[in-house]
Amino acid sequence: MASLTSHIHCQDCSMSSLCIAQPLDNDSMVRLDTIIQRRKPLQKRDLLTTAGAPLQFLYAVRSGSLKTYTLDDKGVEQIIDFHLPGDLVGFDALADGHHRSFSQALETTMLCEIPVQSLDDLASQMPTLRKQMMKLMSSELFASKQLLGDLNNRSAQQRLAHFLLTLSQRFAERGLSGKSFRLTMTRADIGNYLGLSVETISRILSALQTDGTLAVKNKLVEIRSLDQLNSLAGH
Amino acid sequence: MASLTSHIHCQDCSMSSLCIAQPLDNDSMVRLDTIIQRRKPLQKRDLLTTAGAPLQFLYAVRSGSLKTYTLDDKGVEQIIDFHLPGDLVGFDALADGHHRSFSQALETTMLCEIPVQSLDDLASQMPTLRKQMMKLMSSELFASKQLLGDLNNRSAQQRLAHFLLTLSQRFAERGLSGKSFRLTMTRADIGNYLGLSVETISRILSALQTDGTLAVKNKLVEIRSLDQLNSLAGH
DNA sequence: CGACGATTTGACTCTACTCAATGTGTGTGG
DNA sequence: CCACACACATTGAGTAGAGTCAAATCGTCG
């Protein structure tokens, strides 16, 4: 009998199109699969990475979600990113072999664990894998820099609209509903990430609910008018 | 006779410690050197990259400086980054082989031109080069994400203090003075980058001048009290 | 010298923050 | 299974920091 832990392989993984495995032919994917382990699921609030800890694995999110954050001089949390299924966690540690941030599960979360040493070996043999890693990092890099400009010069409403649209797109890319989804992070997390206070987040969500752009029920968000939301984000 | 264009080689380049060449042994550096060309200097306002254009080269800044920006739906400039000597320009294009942003010289600027195709070939033969590229991207990625958090939750004064400190450090790393340097970008550029209005930048610079933290004379900035500036950035 | 772009400074306004109180949901232990 | 506790969320009132608009000055380049 198979054990209870997941035995889905890269070849069958629904996330493979977003994952590091995306451009690989079947044979390469099988080789990648052999180095990847599946981890016991993380429970809500469990830490996946700790700043300063040596890098051993990169992680791919299979299901669930995480937040990545740093602590500033005063020990205040600064949220850097949210991770959804298909995302890779740990790139920031490639620079010097140590994680630079904390990653914490926002809900029960399943992961693939990729030993960096083996990945590196594979990458040196497989140019496609090497290029794919570069591509993923390049995309993330641009997205991150772009976001900086996007957020900096925009109002609270624009920021939140942009955030919701980005989430929506990411869910859609992952084969989930982009119209209606659950915010696994708290309002405080969103505020921290966007540089807004909890109260502002709450007020804007209420306002968007009132004007019919959204239907919000606790953590559940339904986008009622995508056009409306788009035009709010654009200004 | 040697031509008038620069013939400095990677082996002799004062920027090599920051550059892609950093961890390479002498032999590898010579090989890298053979694929790198030197470009005619860019004049102020010249474009180095254009969003949408196919990626052919990565560039390393030898002297001078550039700004990288995108244009939003309304054609409004969004500054994403400033590049100083030793920085690499073009990583954002690795994702799909097309540049995603514009890069414009802020002053007369000298560059090394690195053909991506050849770089890729070299990287596949030289694991150190491959790792160094990953490291550079990883560092940039983290810095960019960190910056997002840093700026988002901070006041105008904190942002500007942080910006000046970062510039100071970067100049120092490049063997230039970190105490006293020239802002090659306009106040408007700084404001755009930090998400502040020109007037706010100007007012804060004046205030920092008045309280003795800085001496500002047009584009020239001298840091009078590093401690003061540090504590302003920290809050 | 003249023109234009960049910078500074002032006055007023408004957005988003803080503080405060209340409401809602979740989870734990008796 | 219920009750209580605590974390999360909403809403209101007042305030402050940064934006906008406007005008004057400075600097640079032709």
Side-chain angles (χ1 to χ4, degrees):
Chain A
M1 266 339 252
S3 80
L4 290 175
T5 56
S6 164
H7 276 111
I8 292 176
H9 293 275
C10 289
Q11 304 88 288
D12 310 315
C13 175
S14 63
M15 289 300 136
S16 66
S17 66
L18 294 151
C19 182
I20 207 167
Q22 186 265 315
L24 301 184
D25 57 45
N26 200 268
D27 178 54
S28 304
M29 221 190 266
V30 171
R31 289 174 66 190
L32 178 65
D33 187 71
T34 60
I35 68 162
I36 292 185
Q37 342 246 302
R38 277 77 199 172
R39 241 184 176 258
K40 265 210 303 266
L42 248 46
Q43 296 305 315
K44 189 173 177 175
R45 266 178 275 273
D46 285 352
L47 283 178
L48 177 63
T49 67
T50 305
L55 167 69
Q56 295 185 287
F57 305 100
L58 290 180
Y59 302 95
V61 182
R62 291 181 43 69
S63 67
S65 53
L66 304 112
K67 66 174 173 184
T68 294
Y69 59 93
T70 55
L71 299 177
D72 68 16
D73 352 312
K74 301 189 183 49
V76 177
E77 185 174 313
Q78 285 279 2
I79 297 177
I80 280 180
D81 221 344
F82 297 107
H83 303 281
L84 303 184
D87 289 343
L88 282 154
V89 181
F91 275 149
D92 64 357
L94 286 180
D96 72 344
H98 294 266
H99 289 286
R100 303 205 189 179
S101 51
F102 301 84
S103 299
Q104 187 182 42
L106 295 169
E107 60 190 316
T108 303
T109 295
M110 305 262 286
L111 300 153
C112 296
E113 202 175 65
I114 313 168
V116 274
Q117 185 52 60
S118 320
L119 183 63
D120 196 59
D121 295 345
L122 264 194
S124 67
Q125 297 160 33
M126 294 161 51
T128 8
L129 181 59
R130 177 164 49 78
K131 283 184 190 156
Q132 172 67 358
M133 286 179 68
M134 296 272 188
K135 280 187 186 188
L136 285 174
M137 291 181 76
S138 165
S139 291
E140 260 206 68
L141 184 56
F142 179 72
S144 164
K145 295 198 172 191
Q146 175 82 297
L147 185 62
L148 188 61
D150 277 1
L151 292 187
N152 253 341
N153 293 301
R154 281 170 163 73
S155 72
Q157 198 177 49
Q158 288 165 354
R159 292 187 200 194
L160 187 53
H162 183 280
F163 177 74
L164 292 172
L165 281 171
T166 305
L167 270 189
S168 166
Q169 280 172 236
R170 292 171 70 192
F171 281 122
E173 282 169 11
R174 284 153 179 78
L176 307 167
S177 168
K179 298 236 70 167
S180 159
F181 47 86
R182 214 168 68 82
L183 300 172
T184 57
M185 66 295 286
T186 67
R187 306 283 195 266
D189 285 340
I190 300 175
N192 181 308
Y193 180 62
L194 296 179
L196 301 170
S197 67
V198 194
E199 294 94 328
T200 300
I201 302 294
S202 184
R203 272 187 254 273
I204 294 175
L205 283 176
S206 300
L208 294 180
Q209 164 113 275
T210 304
D211 76 9
T213 308
L214 301 176
V216 185
K217 178 96 195 329
N218 302 329
K219 303 259 182 197
L220 246 49
V221 171
E222 182 194 343
I223 299 178
R224 275 273 161 71
S225 166
L226 195 59
D227 290 350
Q228 186 76 15
L229 197 57
N230 258 312
S231 80
L232 287 177
H235 286 296
Chain B
M1 271 331 258
S3 82
L4 291 174
T5 57
S6 164
H7 276 111
I8 292 175
H9 294 276
C10 289
Q11 304 88 288
D12 310 315
C13 175
S14 64
M15 289 300 137
S16 66
S17 67
L18 294 151
C19 183
I20 207 168
Q22 187 264 315
L24 301 185
D25 57 46
N26 201 268
D27 178 52
S28 303
M29 222 189 267
V30 170
R31 290 175 66 192
L32 178 64
D33 187 72
T34 61
I35 68 162
I36 293 185
Q37 344 245 300
R38 277 80 198 171
R39 248 187 172 253
K40 265 211 304 267
L42 247 46
Q43 297 305 315
K44 190 171 177 176
R45 265 179 277 275
D46 285 352
L47 283 178
L48 177 63
T49 67
T50 304
L55 168 69
Q56 294 185 287
F57 305 100
L58 291 180
Y59 303 96
V61 182
R62 291 181 44 69
S63 67
S65 54
L66 303 112
K67 66 174 172 182
T68 293
Y69 59 93
T70 55
L71 299 177
D72 67 17
D73 352 311
K74 299 187 186 51
V76 177
E77 184 174 312
Q78 285 279 2
I79 297 177
I80 280 180
D81 221 345
F82 297 107
H83 302 282
L84 303 184
D87 289 343
L88 282 154
V89 181
F91 276 148
D92 65 357
L94 287 180
D96 72 344
H98 294 267
H99 289 287
R100 302 206 189 178
S101 51
F102 301 85
S103 299
Q104 187 182 42
L106 295 170
E107 59 189 318
T108 303
T109 295
M110 306 262 286
L111 300 153
C112 295
E113 202 175 66
I114 313 168
V116 273
Q117 185 52 59
S118 319
L119 183 63
D120 197 59
D121 294 344
L122 265 194
S124 67
Q125 298 160 33
M126 296 160 50
T128 6
L129 182 59
R130 177 164 50 78
K131 282 183 190 157
Q132 172 67 358
M133 286 179 68
M134 295 271 188
K135 279 188 185 187
L136 285 174
M137 291 181 76
S138 165
S139 292
E140 260 207 66
L141 184 56
F142 179 73
S144 164
K145 294 197 174 194
Q146 175 82 297
L147 185 62
L148 189 60
D150 278 0
L151 292 187
N152 253 342
N153 292 302
R154 283 171 161 72
S155 71
Q157 198 177 51
Q158 288 164 356
R159 291 187 202 194
L160 187 54
H162 183 280
F163 176 74
L164 291 173
L165 282 171
T166 305
L167 270 188
S168 166
Q169 281 172 235
R170 291 170 72 193
F171 282 121
E173 282 168 10
R174 284 153 179 79
L176 306 167
S177 167
K179 297 237 73 170
S180 158
F181 47 86
R182 213 167 68 82
L183 301 172
T184 57
M185 65 296 287
T186 66
R187 307 282 196 266
D189 285 340
I190 300 175
N192 181 308
Y193 180 62
L194 296 178
L196 301 169
S197 68
V198 194
E199 294 94 327
T200 300
I201 302 293
S202 182
R203 272 187 255 271
I204 294 174
L205 284 177
S206 299
L208 294 181
Q209 163 113 275
T210 304
D211 77 9
T213 309
L214 301 177
V216 184
K217 180 99 196 325
N218 303 328
K219 302 259 183 197
L220 245 51
V221 172
E222 182 194 343
I223 299 178
R224 274 273 162 71
S225 166
L226 196 60
D227 290 351
Q228 185 76 15
L229 197 58
N230 258 314
S231 82
L232 287 177
H235 286 295

